[in-house]
Amino acid sequence: MRIGELSRRTGVSQRSLRYYEEQKLLTPTRLPNGYRDYDERTVTTVRRIQILLSAGLGTSAVAEILPGAVDDTVVLAGKCPELIDGLARERHRIDTAIAALIAARDILDSLVGRPLEPEAATPSR
C-alpha cells in the first residue's frame, strides 16, 4: 500500500510516517517510480509506534522496543534487562513529573482556598 492509504488506515499523517522512516522505525520498499510501498504488517507497526510515543518514549527507545513487541498491546517478548531498566527509569521520570504537577495544583488550590472547579480552571477563549 502507498503512504496515503497507510495514513488513512492508521490516522497518522504522511509527514509523521516519513519521519518514522527517517528514524528507521519503518522500512518500506521503493517502487520503480520511487513511491513507498508498505506491507499489511506496517499498519500494526504504526499502531505500536503510536502507543509507545504516547507513553512518552523517544524514537530511539521505540526503535529498541519494536523488535520485541509481540502484539498490539506492545507486550515485550523475551527478557532484555537493559531495556526493562530503561523503561523503568522512564516510568519513574513520568511519575516524578506527575507528582510535581499535582503539587503545583495543590498550591493553586491553597491560594484560592478551595479546589477549583474543572470549568473554572479552564481558560475561556
Side-chain angles (χ1 to χ4, degrees):
M1 85 186 78
R2 298 221 323 244
I3 194 167
E5 182 180 347
L6 181 61
S7 176
R8 281 187 297 281
R9 290 185 57 189
T10 60
V12 175
S13 71
Q14 292 182 32
R15 181 178 177 180
S16 292
L17 294 171
R18 286 186 207 96
Y19 175 73
Y20 298 164
E21 183 182 350
E22 288 172 15
Q23 298 300 307
K24 309 286 189 237
L25 302 177
L26 298 178
T27 52
T29 57
R30 290 288 183 156
L31 300 175
N33 60 6
Y35 289 167
R36 293 166 175 85
D37 186 44
Y38 299 94
D39 63 27
E40 191 62 33
R41 293 173 301 195
T42 308
V43 173
T44 300
T45 301
V46 170
R47 290 186 179 134
R48 287 178 179 152
I49 292 167
Q50 291 289 286
I51 291 168
L52 293 165
L53 291 174
S54 70
L57 299 174
T59 55
S60 60
V62 172
E64 290 181 49
I65 293 169
L66 278 178
V70 296
D71 61 23
D72 285 343
T73 62
V74 195
V75 174
L76 300 178
K79 296 188 179 188
C80 176
E82 297 83 16
L83 181 56
I84 299 300
D85 290 345
L87 293 173
R89 283 191 302 277
E90 183 63 20
R91 186 179 193 290
H92 177 72
R93 184 194 65 75
I94 290 169
D95 284 343
T96 301
I98 290 170
L101 288 170
I102 290 171
R105 184 192 62 201
D106 291 346
I107 290 168
L108 289 173
D109 287 348
S110 71
L111 291 172
V112 296
R114 61 179 164 42
L116 295 171
E117 295 297 321
E119 306 85 46
T122 305
S124 61
R125 291 185 179 215

